[in-house]
C-alpha cells in the first residue's frame, strides 16, 4: 500500500483572487441527467489516494477538481489573457496554445489573448520582444505543427519587472506552459502579484517530455515521445541483429526520471537492457553492465541497450557542477561514453562488437503531437482556461487518477516525480528484458 503523504489539506488548497460574482457564459448545466454538460461545483474534490485496506484508516487528503465553474471572477468583455511557453520543446505545445485561444475567445468571449515571445524573456520589455495578438485565425492549424509559434527560452526574469509588464499591458490572466523551472518562475510571479494585492491570475500547464512533474500522472508530449522512441529502438534492433555481435545503443530523454526509456522499452519489446537514473548499477565487475552485456552477446549474438540521458552519471569522471539558465544541472553525455566503454570492454575480452549509436532526442522533441497527446492537450488547456476565468491562481492543472485537478504551485515544484523501482512499470521492464538474469550471470 502507498505511504500517507507528508502533506496537510491546507497545503492542497487553491488560492483564489476573490469571490466569483460573474455568471459564466458557457452553455452548461447545474442539473445532472438533463443531457447538457455540467459545471463543476467548487467544493468537488478527488481523493489523493483512492486505494485502502479494509479496517485501516483511509487517507482523506483531496485535490480540488478542475473544470468549468458556474460563477467566474473575471468579466469576459474586460479580460485580457497572455500565454507564455518556456523551456525545451515538446510535442503538443501548439495544441495547448490553440485550445487556450479557442476556449477564451470563442467560448468565454474575452477580447484579447496575447502571445508572449520567447519564454519569460518576453515578459521583460528591456530584453524581450513585444507580444503578438493571438486570434482564432492565427492558431487555426498550428496543432499540426511541432514546436511553439511563440518561441521559447530558458531562465527567469525578475518577478517585479514581470508584474510591472503584466500591469502595463492590462493582462488579467497569465498562462505559463512549461516544466518545473517554468512553474517555479510562475510561483514567484504569483507571490509578487499577491504582495501588491493585484487581481491577476497565474495558471500553470505542466510541460515536460520526461513526465517528471509531481501530481501529474502524464504530461503532454510524453505519449508522442514514447511512440517515436519505440521506432528508434526498432531500428536499432534491425542494425544489431544484422551483424555478428551487433549492439544497438539508444539514448533517450530522461534527466532524472526513466519513464520514456522504460515505456519505450516495453512498447518496442526488443530491448535487452534499460538503464535509468532511478536504478543505479555498476559498470564493471562480474555483476556490472559490461559483463552482463557480454553474457547476452554470447547467448544471442546481438543486443539492444536503451539508456536514459540521466543514467550512469556516476560512471563518468567527476567535474564541477554546471547549471543551465533554468537551474537544471548540466548532465554529462552518457551515450558516447557508454558506446566507447562497450567497445573497449569487448577488445579486452577478445570479443569484438559492432556498436550502432542512436540519439534521437531533438527529433523526438520537435515532432507534432500524436492523437493521445492532442486529446490531453485539449483537456489541460480548457481546464486551465476555466481555472483562470474563475480567479484561481498560483496553481497548475494536474492529472490524478485519470481526473484533472488543481495543484498549488508550492507543492508541485517541491520535488520531481520519479519512476519507482518497485512499481508496475519497472517490474514489467525487468520481466520483458530479463536483464536481471544477465546481470547475475544466470
Amino acid at each position: 500500500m502507498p505511504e500517507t503523504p507528508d502533506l496537510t489539506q491546507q497545503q492542497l488548497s487553491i488560492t483564489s483572487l476573490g469571490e466569483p460574482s460573474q455568471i459564466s457564459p458557457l452553455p452548461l448545466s447545474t442539473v445532472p441527467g438533463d443531457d447538457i454538460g455540467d459545471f463543476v461545483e467548487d467544493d468537488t474534490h478527488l481523493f489523493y489516494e483512492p486505494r485502502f485496506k479494509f479496517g485501516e484508516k483511509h487517507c482523506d487528503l483531496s485535490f480540488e477538481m478542475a473544470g468549468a465553474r458556474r460563477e467566474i471572477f473575471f468579466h469576459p468583455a474586460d479580460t485580457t489573457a497572455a500565454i507564455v511557453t518556456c523551456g525545451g520543446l515538446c510535442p503538443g505545445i501548439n495544441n495547448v496554445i490553440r485550445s487556450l485561444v479557442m476556449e477564451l475567445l470563442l467560448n468565454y468571449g474575452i477580447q484579447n489573448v496575447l502571445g508572449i515571445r520567447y519564454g519569460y524573456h518576453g515578459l521583460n520589455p528591456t530584453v524581450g520582444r513585444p507580444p503578438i495578438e493571438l486570434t482564432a485565425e492565427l492558431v487555426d492549424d498550428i496543432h499540426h505543427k511541432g514546436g511553439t509559434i511563440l518561441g521559447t527560452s530558458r531562465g527567469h526574469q525578475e518577478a517585479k519587472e514581470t508584474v510591472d509588464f503584466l500591469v502595463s499591458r492590462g493582462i488579467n490572466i497569465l498562462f505559463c506552459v512549461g516544466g518545473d523551472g517554468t512553474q517555479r518562475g510562475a510561483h514567484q510571479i504569483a507571490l509578487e502579484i499577491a504582495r501588491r494585492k493585484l487581481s491577476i491570475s497565474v495558471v500553470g500547464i505542466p510541460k515536460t517530455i520526461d513526465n517528471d512533474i509531481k501530481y501529474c500522472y502524464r504530461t503532454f508530449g510524453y505519449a508522442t515521445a514514447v511512440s517515436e522512441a519505440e521506432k528508434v529502438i526498432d531500428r536499432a534492433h534491425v542494425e544489431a541483429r544484422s551483424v555478428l555481435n551487433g549492439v544497438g545503443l539508444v539514448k533517450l530523454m530522461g534527466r532524472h526520471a526513466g519513464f520514456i526509456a522504460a515505456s519505450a522499452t516495453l512498447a518496442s519489446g526488443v530491448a535487452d537492457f534499460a538503464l535509468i537514473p532511478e536504478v543505479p548499477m555498476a559498470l564493471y565487475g562480474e555483476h556490472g553492465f559490461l559483463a552482463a552485456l557480454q553474457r547476452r552477446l554470447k547467448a544471442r549474438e546481438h543486443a539492444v541497450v536503451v539508456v536514459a540521458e540521466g543514467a550512469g552519471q556516476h560512471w563518468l569522471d567527476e567535474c564541477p557542477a554546471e547549471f543551465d539558465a533554468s537551474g537544471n544541472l548540466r548532465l554529462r553525455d552518457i551515450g558516447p561514453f557508454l558506446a566507447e566503454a562497450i567497445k573497449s570492454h569487448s577488445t579486452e575480452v577478445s570479443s569484438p562488437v559492432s556498436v550502432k549509436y542512436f540519439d534521437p532526442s531533438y527529433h523526438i522533441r520537435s515532432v507534432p503531437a500524436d492523437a493521445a497527446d492532442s486529446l490531453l492537450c485539449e483537456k489541460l488547456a480548457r481546464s486551465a482556461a476555466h481555472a483562470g476565468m474563475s480567479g484561481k491562481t498560483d496553481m497548475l492543472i494536474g492529472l490524478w487518477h485519470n481526473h484533472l485537478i488543481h495543484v498549488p504551485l508550492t507543492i508541485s515544484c517541491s520535488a520531481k516525480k520519479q519512476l519507482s523501482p518497485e512499481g508496475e512499470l519497472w517490474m514489467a521492464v525487468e520481466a520483458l528484458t530479463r536483464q536481471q538474469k544477465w546481470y547475475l550471470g544466470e
Side-chain angles (χ1 to χ4, degrees):
M1 288 298 296
E3 297 180 1
T4 301
D6 186 21
L7 292 169
T8 65
Q9 189 61 49
Q10 180 62 31
Q11 289 175 291
L12 299 181
S13 64
I14 299 300
T15 301
S16 179
L17 295 176
E19 191 69 28
S21 60
Q22 307 289 326
I23 298 299
S24 173
L26 301 183
L28 302 179
S29 170
T30 58
V31 181
D34 61 359
D35 295 330
I36 300 174
D38 293 332
F39 288 108
V40 175
E41 297 293 336
D42 211 36
D43 57 358
T44 304
H45 280 239
L46 178 74
F47 275 125
Y48 181 101
E49 177 52 66
R51 296 171 295 177
F52 65 95
K53 286 185 177 180
F54 282 115
E56 292 188 2
K57 179 176 172 55
H58 179 264
C59 173
D60 58 1
L61 293 175
S62 61
F63 289 104
E64 184 177 282
M65 290 286 290
R69 269 43 175 184
R70 183 173 182 273
E71 290 83 23
I72 58 178
F73 182 81
F74 292 107
H75 188 277
D78 302 325
T79 300
T80 295
I83 305 170
V84 61
T85 59
C86 308
L89 293 183
C90 174
I93 303 177
N94 280 333
N95 300 63
V96 170
I97 295 170
R98 181 181 188 270
S99 294
L100 273 171
V101 171
M102 295 297 193
E103 182 69 16
L104 293 167
L105 291 180
L106 303 184
N107 292 335
Y108 275 103
I110 77 170
Q111 300 303 301
N112 298 293
V113 180
L114 300 178
I116 306 301
R117 304 304 312 282
Y118 299 106
Y120 281 147
H121 288 178
L123 292 173
N124 183 347
T126 63
V127 298
R129 296 187 179 183
I132 61 174
E133 182 181 358
L134 295 175
T135 65
E137 292 73 22
L138 178 63
V139 304
D140 184 51
D141 63 351
I142 64 171
H143 56 305
H144 297 305
K145 302 173 184 177
T148 164
I149 63 166
L150 300 180
T152 185
S153 67
R154 296 190 182 276
H156 70 283
Q157 299 296 311
E158 290 298 324
K160 179 181 182 302
E161 295 171 343
T162 295
V163 176
D164 287 344
F165 175 83
L166 296 177
V167 172
S168 70
R169 299 304 297 248
I171 294 170
N172 308 104
I173 309 172
L174 177 64
F175 297 99
C176 301
V177 185
D180 58 338
T182 301
Q183 304 309 331
R184 285 194 297 270
H187 177 55
Q188 292 305 312
I189 295 170
L191 288 179
E192 177 65 14
I193 289 170
R195 187 186 69 81
R196 300 192 199 184
K197 296 181 171 56
L198 300 173
S199 293
I200 302 175
S201 170
V202 179
V203 178
I205 300 175
K207 172 205 68 70
T208 167
I209 205 167
D210 294 349
N211 197 40
D212 60 357
I213 289 185
K214 291 273 284 184
Y215 310 109
C216 192
Y217 274 9
R218 179 167 67 87
T219 49
F220 73 84
Y222 170 67
T224 305
V226 170
S227 179
E228 292 295 314
E230 175 196 3
K231 299 173 187 176
V232 178
I233 296 172
D234 288 343
R235 300 292 81 76
H237 184 230
V238 171
E239 288 283 355
R241 69 181 180 181
S242 297
V243 295
L244 180 62
N245 287 339
V247 177
L249 175 60
V250 181
K251 186 185 80 170
L252 298 175
M253 296 81 72
R255 293 176 53 82
H256 303 287
F259 291 106
I260 291 179
S263 295
T265 293
L266 284 177
S268 177
V270 298
D272 304 288
F273 297 90
L275 312 181
I276 63 173
E278 298 91 333
V279 185
M281 61 195 67
L283 181 60
Y284 302 104
E286 181 183 359
H287 300 305
F289 166 71
L290 294 175
L293 175 61
Q294 196 62 44
R295 286 190 282 269
R296 158 69 195 193
L297 290 172
K298 185 176 180 180
R300 300 291 300 276
E301 297 184 338
H302 74 279
V304 176
V305 180
V306 177
V307 58
E309 62 181 314
Q313 291 295 301
H314 59 295
W315 295 341
L316 288 84
D317 294 334
E318 292 294 331
C319 62
E322 297 181 2
F323 298 87
D324 63 22
S326 296
N328 298 313
L329 178 68
R330 292 189 187 276
L331 299 177
R332 289 157 289 174
D333 199 340
I334 186 61
F337 169 85
L338 194 56
E340 288 304 315
I342 293 170
K343 294 174 187 177
S344 297
H345 183 262
S346 70
T347 300
E348 291 173 7
V349 298
S350 302
S351 180
V353 298
S354 175
V355 178
K356 300 297 189 298
Y357 175 55
F358 297 76
D359 181 357
S361 301
Y362 289 109
H363 163 80
I364 290 174
R365 304 187 337 161
S366 60
V367 300
D370 66 11
D373 273 327
S374 295
L375 291 171
L376 180 58
C377 289
E378 179 82 5
K379 293 170 64 177
L380 289 168
R382 293 193 185 279
S383 289
H386 299 323
M389 289 300 295
S390 62
K392 310 290 183 182
T393 191
D394 200 11
M395 46 81 57
L396 62 74
I397 304 298
L399 180 66
W400 201 245
H401 302 297
N402 209 34
H403 292 276
L404 294 180
I405 57 170
H406 295 161
V407 183
L409 289 179
T410 49
I411 69 164
S412 69
C413 300
S414 61
K416 287 183 177 290
K417 181 178 70 175
Q418 289 190 297
L419 186 153
S420 171
E422 299 180 6
E424 181 181 356
L425 176 57
W426 187 243
M427 288 194 300
V429 169
E430 290 189 323
L432 174 70
T433 64
R434 297 183 298 161
Q435 61 189 50
Q436 285 298 327
K437 168 186 175 183
W438 304 114
Y439 286 125
L440 299 176
E442 298 177 355

